[in-house]
Amino acid sequence: AQSVTQLDSQVPVFEEAPVELRCNYSSSVSVYLFWYVQYPNQGLQLLLKYLSGSTLVKGINGFEAEFNKSQTSFHLRKPSVHISDTAEYFCAVSDPGRRALTFGSGTRLQVQP
Amino acid sequence: NAGVTQTPKFQVLKTGQSMTLQCAQDMNHNSMYWYRQDPGMGLRLIYYSASEGTTDKGEVPNGYNVSRLNKREFSLRLESAAPSQTSVYFCASSETGGGGADTQYFGPGTRLTVL
C-alpha cells in the first residue's frame, strides 16, 4: 500500500523568504509524485509532477521539487514567496498500476508581510 | 470551457435524509473521481470511474453510491446521511482511463453539513 506523510501541518514564512514543504512517501513500486495547491475556497490545481527522468521538476508560479529515491522524499521549494502563495499544499502519490491518487494530509503555507 | 463543475456549492441535511451531488466535466475526459476532504486528513477517494459505464470503490465507499450517467457526468448519492459524512466533497476528472500519471482536474467542491 502507498502512503504519503507531510511532515509540517503549518509553515509560517515572511514574504520574499525561501520555503521548503516536506513530503515523504512509501511505496513498493515505481511511483509518480504530485504537488497540488488549494487556494482558499477553491478546488485543487496541479503545481508540478514527477513521472520519470530528471529528478528536479519545475512547476508553475516558481515552485520546484526534487525527487529523492533513496530518501523517498519529494520536497517542494520556492526561493522567494509572495503573499499570493498563501494556500494549502498537498503531496500525492500514484503508480502505473493505479488510477487514483493517495494524498498527504496537507501543509498550510502562511505568508506574512 | 468551464472545466469541472459541481452542484450544489453548499448543503445542510438532517440525519437520515438523502441527496445527490452532481458533477460534470466538459474536457472530454475518460476518468472521473469523487473525494472527500476532512481537516487534517487530506483528500480520500470515495469512488472513481475509469470510463463510461464503469465504477470502482475507493478508500472510503461506505454510505455512498455513484452513477456514471454518461461521459460528462458522475453523481454521488448519500442514501441516508449521517453526521460522519459532514465534509467537503470534490469531484475530479482526468484524461485517460488509467496508469496513474494523469493530471487530475478538480471542481470547486460541495460543502455538506449533516445535523
Side-chain angles (χ1 to χ4, degrees):
Chain A
Q2 296 177 331
S3 67
V4 177
T5 302
Q6 292 185 242
L7 297 161
D8 305 296
S9 60
Q10 293 191 66
V11 173
V13 63
F14 288 106
E15 195 173 17
E16 298 184 7
V19 70
E20 178 180 82
L21 306 184
R22 296 180 293 168
C23 171
N24 287 90
Y25 69 92
S26 68
S27 176
S28 59
V29 297
S30 296
V31 294
Y32 302 134
L33 293 158
F34 303 78
W35 276 99
Y36 281 83
V37 60
Q38 183 181 29
Y39 298 106
N41 300 312
Q42 295 185 27
L44 281 71
Q45 63 184 92
L46 182 74
L47 267 180
L48 48 81
K49 64 181 178 182
Y50 170 80
L51 303 182
S52 65
S54 173
T55 58
L56 183 63
V57 181
K58 292 190 184 298
I60 62 171
N61 300 338
F63 284 93
E64 64 181 32
E66 185 153 22
F67 171 56
N68 188 319
K69 188 174 182 179
S70 63
Q71 297 187 8
T72 60
S73 68
F74 191 55
H75 300 334
L76 181 71
R77 300 185 184 99
K78 186 170 183 179
S80 176
V81 294
H82 302 288
I83 296 285
S84 59
D85 293 322
T86 294
E88 189 146 21
Y89 293 78
F90 292 94
C91 183
V93 63
S94 186
D95 66 57
R98 298 182 73 239
R99 295 190 175 93
L101 295 167
T102 299
F103 283 88
S105 56
T107 297
R108 187 170 299 277
L109 177 64
Q110 298 166 310
V111 182
Q112 304 165 11
Chain B
N1 190 336
V4 179
T5 57
Q6 293 182 235
T7 55
K9 285 187 167 48
F10 301 94
Q11 184 71 49
V12 179
L13 293 178
K14 295 180 180 177
T15 297
Q17 287 184 318
S18 63
M19 79 161 295
T20 299
L21 282 64
Q22 306 286 354
C23 174
Q25 53 91 8
D26 63 1
M27 295 174 283
N28 200 36
H29 284 172
N30 286 301
S31 296
M32 297 185 74
Y33 312 81
W34 276 106
Y35 293 90
R36 59 177 289 172
Q37 182 181 29
D38 301 295
M41 300 187 73
L43 279 76
R44 292 180 293 166
L45 183 68
I46 305 171
Y47 272 93
Y48 66 95
S49 169
S51 61
E52 187 179 350
T54 68
T55 60
D56 288 286
K57 294 179 180 179
E59 185 183 352
V60 289
N62 291 346
Y64 305 95
N65 286 302
V66 289
S67 295
R68 184 74 183 268
L69 305 168
N70 48 54
K71 193 171 185 180
R72 290 186 65 248
E73 298 172 290
F74 189 37
S75 62
L76 178 72
R77 183 162 178 82
L78 287 70
E79 291 290 352
S80 178
S84 61
Q85 294 178 306
T86 293
S87 188
V88 182
Y89 291 85
F90 288 100
C91 178
S93 70
S94 66
E95 186 172 1
T96 69
D102 280 355
T103 296
Q104 292 189 18
Y105 296 83
F106 286 79
T110 294
R111 189 173 297 274
L112 175 67
T113 301
V114 183
L115 302 174

